[in-house]
Amino acid sequence: MTAQELQKAVLRHLELSLGKDLAHATVYDIRMSLTLAVRDQVIAPWFESTRKTYAAQSKRVYYLSMEFLIGRLLEDAVNNLGLKQTAQEALDALGFDLTQVIADEPDAALGNGGLGRLAACFLDSMSTIGCPGMGYGIRYEHGLFRQSFHDGVQIEEPEDWLRQPHGWEFARPEAVERIGFGGTVEAHDGRMRWSPADAVLAKAHDTPIIGWQGQWANTLRLWGAEPIQAFDLEAFNRGDFVGAAEQEAFARTISRVLYPDDTNGEGKELRLKQEYFFTAASLRDILRRFLSEHDDLELLPQKVAIQLNDTHPAIAGPELIRILHDEHGLEFDHAMALARNTLSFTNHTLLPEALERWPQALMARVLPRHLQIIARIEEAFLAAQPESPVRILEDGDVRMGELSFIMAHRVNGVSALHTGLVKSTVFAQLHRTFPDRIVNQTNGVTPRRWVLGANPRLSALITDRIGPGWVDDLEQLGALEPHVEDAGFMADYAASKAGNKADLAAWIADTTGIAVDPAAMFDVQIKRIHEYKRQHLNILETIALWQDMRANPRAGWVPRVKIFGGKAAPGYVRAKEIIRLINDVARVINADPVTGDLLKVVYPANYNVSMAEKLIPASDLSEQISTAGKEASGTGNMKFALNGALTIGTLDGANVEIREHVGAENFFLFGMTAEEVVARREDPQHQAKAIAASPRLAGALKGIADGTFSDGDGARYAALLADLRGHDYFTICADFDSYWNCQRQVDAAFADPARWMRMAALNTARSGWFSSDRTIRGYMADVWDITPLI
Ligand SMILES: [N-]=[N+]=N[C@]1([C@H](N)O)O[C@H](CO)[C@@H](O)[C@H](O)[C@H]1O
């Protein structure tokens, strides 16, 4: 497509779809017109992909996830269709700036963090590889809340990405499923019949996900909840206006908002209903499609692979058995075996509070038939494993982790270390019983969004040196390694980083009013706020560094800009305390004339996918400092390494594999290992001893306690300090000195630009393995048994 043709297509949509002429067009109008014009280019490969899948009678994979943290879609589609230059020229000719038009699109923030973003990266890779399948999720009216700060305190406001038409989706009024809740179960002609008391409609909205070079497109189908009867006219005529709309309000509540907890089982009834709503609608849709091609249910595991993204869709096991046994009349054990061979499950965390457990009483009320089926699943499991101490039903709860494991033929962890811990801790018993069921699939990220889209400077340089093949074969980045010896390449590499940093410094000044020196080290920690991710370790080191700089400002310090980004779950008090502390420390340090430009702390509000795309290419140092054994994988760590940021981190999650790939000499390692952490916790005085042994740590804690950062109010952080001095489960104190010393090694390395840039370029060259294409190929081979169709 030429720029002229695209320009014409945009103008046609502006007039015919938006009803606007160019003279009165707003950025929104042009963004929607371009979106529609680009979407037109997606339709043919989309239809062709579906046709090829049916023609090949191919097995399909269905990725069930409560979260898809998509971000913006326009730039991704433009890049995947190879239209970036074309779109630039077409819009220039119309008098609009492509960057500004792209930035007008609201993020689809239908996820909390890594788990949701991983699902989005996987969709891009499945389409790029030509893996036939679909994503299934919920079309939340309100995604993850908008974050703002008031006096440094996090404030949450509803996010409303759907306040404007969403240009990428197609409503599918014909794809509607009736989803029941509650009610009773009776035996009827030897079969159990569930009669739900309430019901809502699940209406499908499809978004095409186009792969690299537009050869294949899969579908993301998101379900929106709607009432069976939208409006109760009788109630209205009786003057009961609220009652008239009650049904609608009740129904829409199901898909109204995303629960904002990243690694914490919600436990609320509405959350369970959300999980069942999208899972049941998806299974009905999957079986309808399967039965439209095949009439023998025996073929289900050969033609359908269903991936459960954590335990959130775990009810899929009982629901599939209910459909096969109660509705299709298969024997229970047979239905259970078919379901198990169709389902596979990914565990994303070891945190006990994140392993979902639903009260049996709640399950009995909301899903009475499913609770009966879960009891029979446990019975069948114990009949085969009489010795096993494992239970699904225990302490009045339904354990969704055990249910998912028992109802899946494959279970995977998301990094080598994590998968090892899954086998030795949370599922140790089940691993002994089913030694071949757990496999590892280390996470990955899509290079289209996280390198090509986010870092055009670096991408141009790479393509110039090794050709464009790296975009869908990322391990080709290895061919850059010889170029690292070439001063010209290294100068260009450094220039691309410097350019990104200058852009970011301008953006920071714009959005926060803080002036930062682009030559300083950009030290970045962006992720959800959580104690195990240890943002408070980072800010304690920042305080100690500031105190040292103040004591000796002319000691030849390496100037640093500490950049934080991240949201806390609204109910997570400790995490919100950490956010306030970071903002309080920033306020004091940024105003300090003694340290001036030596140290700045920046915390832009409302961190999201689009902000990550701006921050990561401009980063020098990537903070991956979680307590070892707690971060299952991390995926930000991979994005940073690919974009030439060096990692300071613990041996946790995928940090271990990143260090193996980039080389220990190109990674700043500190802290205890997962085993050492467990051992250290045995000593109830571990934190007190660490504080006693570290004057710097003690000094930083004292600074907070004195009210240095809280206008003299020493009580503001009393709870946080009491926890660090009293319990410190996440071993902040025990790891502090190792972290501090490691940061000084980072300073020394950064003070030698040639050495630093060499390490950075080697990180880029050696991180190709962390492509989500590699991950998806692993799932296709080891879990789904599917081969690409392109
Ligand atoms: N839930 N959950 N788990 C996480 C993330 N918080 O979303 O999944 C991510 C995706 O697997 C992991 O990278 C991360 O370590 C893990 O904590």
Side-chain angles (χ1 to χ4, degrees), residues 114-115 118 262-263 348 414 443 532 631-634:
L115 176 147
L118 185 80
D262 189 38
T263 48
H348 290 269
V414 290
N443 283 346
Y532 84 79
E631 188 71 89
S633 164

Side-chain angles (χ1 to χ4, degrees), residues 549-586:
M549 282 177 166
R550 281 179 63 79
N552 200 354
R554 265 169 282 291
W557 296 98
V558 170
R560 264 192 204 230
V561 179
K562 287 265 186 184
I563 301 173
F564 292 86
K567 296 172 179 176
Y572 191 175
V573 175
R574 176 68 82 254
K576 294 179 92 165
E577 211 178 338
I578 292 169
I579 289 179
R580 188 177 189 185
L581 177 61
I582 296 169
N583 283 322
D584 267 351
V585 170

Side-chain angles (χ1 to χ4, degrees), residues 120 228 375 473 526 532 593 627 732 750:
I228 306 285
D473 180 10
I526 47 178
Y532 84 79
T627 308
I732 304 286
F750 194 77

Side-chain angles (χ1 to χ4, degrees), residues 107 189 534 574 600 619 652 661:
D107 269 37
D189 306 345
R534 302 203 291 188
R574 176 68 82 254
K600 293 291 183 199
S619 303
D652 196 19
H661 278 84

